[in-house]
Amino acid sequence: MLNYSTSEENHIKAIYHLQKDGSVTTNELAAELKTRPASITDMMKKLRTKKLVHYEAYKGFRLTAEGRKLALIIIRRHRLWEFFLAEKLKFSWEEVHEVAEDLEHVSSKKLIDKLDEYLGFPRFDPHGDPIPDAQGRIETSKQVCLTELPPGKQGIVCYVSDQSSGMLELLGHKKIGMGTRVEIRKRFSYDQSMEIKVKQQITTISGDLARNIFVKYDE
Amino acid sequence: MLNYSTSEENHIKAIYHLQKDGSVTTNELAAELKTRPASITDMMKKLRTKKLVHYEAYKGFRLTAEGRKLALIIIRRHRLWEFFLAEKLKFSWEEVHEVAEDLEHVSSKKLIDKLDEYLGFPRFDPHGDPIPDAQGRIETSKQVCLTELPPGKQGIVCYVSDQSSGMLELLGHKKIGMGTRVEIRKRFSYDQSMEIKVKQQITTISGDLARNIFVKYDE
DNA sequence: AATTAAATTTAGACAAACCTAAAAAAAATA
DNA sequence: TATTTTTTTTAGGTTTGTCTAAATTTAATT
Ligand SMILES: [Mn+2]
Ligand SMILES: [Mn+2]
Ligand SMILES: [Mn+2]
Ligand SMILES: [Mn+2]
């Protein structure tokens, strides 16, 4: 019912990641997958007959609704395994991707749904990317530490790792809480402190504080 | 350094399981892997050039030392995943094998060693089969049917061949499970029933039950 | 608009892993 | 031992997924 080869899955996933809007080109996809353009053309013809991509010669390609569904299944597997590797097996966040590249192709739905449950239905992988749920729904935002919020982007505070009373006092004073919108105005590399805009006002926060605040933002 | 295809790995593992002693035949292996004899011949030629099997035309094949080492690595992966699926994800005994058939081919050594550690270095998989350690050492301790456990010897339950719900109910009632210590006190040849000591208590079990329980013991 | 450059597709090939059918070798039986 | 049966190998094919080199289409530049 849902049996695609590793290569087909890798192609589908790569198209998903490349197609922000508009369509993906042969060269782009070949570069992404480290294959040759001719191989991409061959694969696109196959995926077209399987109704996973829209494709006309010389006109690039995009996923069909079904192709997108498949992409989200693969991304769900990938990110759940990454979470498992980081959280349970204590891999560092740089190491998880490579191993998840293989694990993502083990296709048992039951395995993935049970893994999801075992992990407590995590919403973001170790890189802050959202994990699609069992129905293929995915959040549009990415979760990162405030220190990595691109300056100028609106972030929404969604997690604070240190919840000591000292931290809470400081957060209260800065008027920062769950759901608060923040935006980085200026960062100082000397001590990682930064000026941020909170509720129409500019405040300065230390690197120590920033490192404990996590925000969601749309890319 | 250690990069074999899924098909090569499946062949090596199957030979390991079939070669109790003496060598494995083409038809045996074809039956085991559900392929055709001609395909086996092709693969044996390839594995011979890779120095994983000893093979001469018409004379069957056995693993080389290196082939055996590889087999144990694959079996280690397989059984650790089975343990993970049963223990952590709450898969039932019958379900784990199929999924582990795929997971066993993900070849990161670090993944497997960290998984092993995370699981607490389990020594047996959910079917009672021993799990090779990171050095490829595998438990040699004999596994016999309870009917063959020498009276007076301590046995440890490690495998139950019938996993029907009726059997599970009976085992639960007798307080017998994986790892339970048992000792035969008296055997009745008339109906093969026996009195055994379980958790400081004497119980009687039927021959039908005893024949489905396997134990390991030190000689 | 004509020419050049870049992107894409086609043509033809190859390795991996399987297959069927026929030939050859080994084993069993008369 | 001669004959028959079984097992194994060889010969030749197919599918999947990749490649290179050449042809074609599209895009960019004079
Ligand atoms: Mn992949
Ligand atoms: Mn990730
Ligand atoms: Mn397998
Ligand atoms: Mn097992």
Side-chain angles (χ1 to χ4, degrees), chain B residues 139-200:
Chain B
E139 187 122 354
T140 54
S141 79
K142 200 160 184 176
Q143 183 173 300
V144 296
C145 186
L146 181 51
T147 56
E148 280 146 77
L149 178 64
K153 279 273 183 196
Q154 286 262 310
I156 293 174
V157 175
C158 58
Y159 181 65
V160 177
S161 56
D162 177 353
Q163 289 155 27
S164 64
S165 59
M167 165 65 82
L168 294 179
E169 182 201 352
L170 181 51
L171 286 173
H173 183 258
K174 300 281 186 190
K175 297 189 170 41
I176 296 171
M178 221 38 88
T180 305
R181 277 179 206 291
V182 297
E183 186 189 317
I184 295 180
R185 279 314 184 77
K186 192 146 177 46
R187 315 171 59 158
F188 300 96
S189 60
Y190 173 69
D191 60 357
Q192 269 73 256
S193 71
M194 53 176 77
E195 280 181 8
I196 62 176
K197 198 166 105 176
V198 181
K199 293 174 180 151
Q200 329 297 359

Side-chain angles (χ1 to χ4, degrees), chain A residues 17-214:
Chain A
H17 286 312
L18 291 174
Q19 92 182 6
K20 297 295 169 199
D21 40 58
S23 58
V24 181
T25 70
T26 302
N27 273 359
E28 271 170 8
L29 194 50
E32 175 77 10
L33 293 172
K34 293 167 166 85
T35 61
R36 296 313 192 130
S39 308
I40 297 298
T41 300
D42 287 348
M43 182 58 84
M44 289 310 109
K45 285 177 181 170
K46 177 153 60 124
L47 295 182
R48 176 177 55 191
T49 71
K50 295 193 176 188
K51 297 196 187 306
L52 295 172
V53 301
H54 295 292
Y55 167 59
E56 259 187 288
Y58 297 105
K59 293 189 174 169
F61 22 83
R62 334 179 292 291
L63 296 177
T64 61
E66 202 182 337
R68 184 168 178 281
K69 245 171 68 181
L70 175 58
L72 287 168
I73 287 170
I74 301 160
I75 289 166
R76 170 171 161 78
R77 294 181 199 145
H78 184 99
R79 293 182 180 166
L80 281 173
W81 282 119
E82 283 191 343
F83 187 92
F84 169 77
L85 294 171
E87 192 75 4
K88 303 292 188 182
L89 301 196
K90 308 300 178 194
F91 275 66
S92 71
W93 67 268
E94 304 96 340
E95 297 173 304
V96 299
H97 182 80
E98 189 186 347
V99 181
E101 270 309 308
D102 288 340
L103 286 166
E104 74 186 1
H105 303 293
V106 175
S107 65
S108 162
K109 170 137 175 68
K110 184 164 188 178
L111 168 64
I112 295 306
D113 290 347
K114 288 223 177 204
L115 179 66
D116 194 12
E117 185 183 357
Y118 176 63
L119 298 174
F121 303 105
R123 318 233 348 256
F124 296 92
D125 82 2
H127 309 102
D129 294 311
I131 300 174
D133 71 14
Q135 281 69 49
R137 289 180 295 242
I138 188 172
E139 210 155 311
T140 54
S141 55
K142 183 176 163 79
Q143 183 183 72
V144 295
C145 184
L146 181 49
T147 55
E148 277 146 77
L149 177 65
K153 280 272 183 195
Q154 285 263 313
I156 294 174
V157 175
C158 59
Y159 180 64
V160 177
S161 56
D162 176 353
Q163 286 161 31
S164 63
S165 58
M167 166 65 82
L168 294 179
E169 182 202 352
L170 180 51
L171 285 173
H173 184 258
K174 301 279 186 191
K175 297 189 169 39
I176 296 171
M178 282 309 157
T180 305
R181 278 179 204 290
V182 298
E183 186 188 316
I184 294 179
R185 279 313 184 78
K186 192 144 179 45
R187 313 173 58 161
F188 300 95
S189 60
Y190 174 68
D191 60 358
Q192 269 74 255
S193 70
M194 53 177 76
E195 279 182 8
I196 61 176
K197 195 166 107 179
V198 181
K199 293 173 180 150
Q200 330 297 358
Q201 290 197 294
I202 307 290
T203 352
T204 296
I205 66 175
S206 69
D208 279 333
L209 178 53
R211 270 189 289 282
N212 284 288
I213 296 172
F214 290 81

Side-chain angles (χ1 to χ4, degrees), chain B residues 29-72:
Chain B
L29 194 51
E32 174 78 11
L33 293 172
K34 294 169 165 95
T35 61
R36 297 313 192 126
S39 307
I40 297 298
T41 300
D42 287 348
M43 183 58 84
M44 289 310 109
K45 285 177 180 169
K46 179 157 54 129
L47 295 182
R48 176 177 55 192
T49 71
K50 295 193 175 187
K51 297 196 188 304
L52 295 172
V53 300
H54 296 294
Y55 167 58
E56 259 187 288
Y58 297 105
K59 292 188 174 171
F61 20 83
R62 335 178 291 291
L63 296 177
T64 61
E66 202 183 335
R68 183 168 178 282
K69 245 172 66 181
L70 175 57
L72 287 169

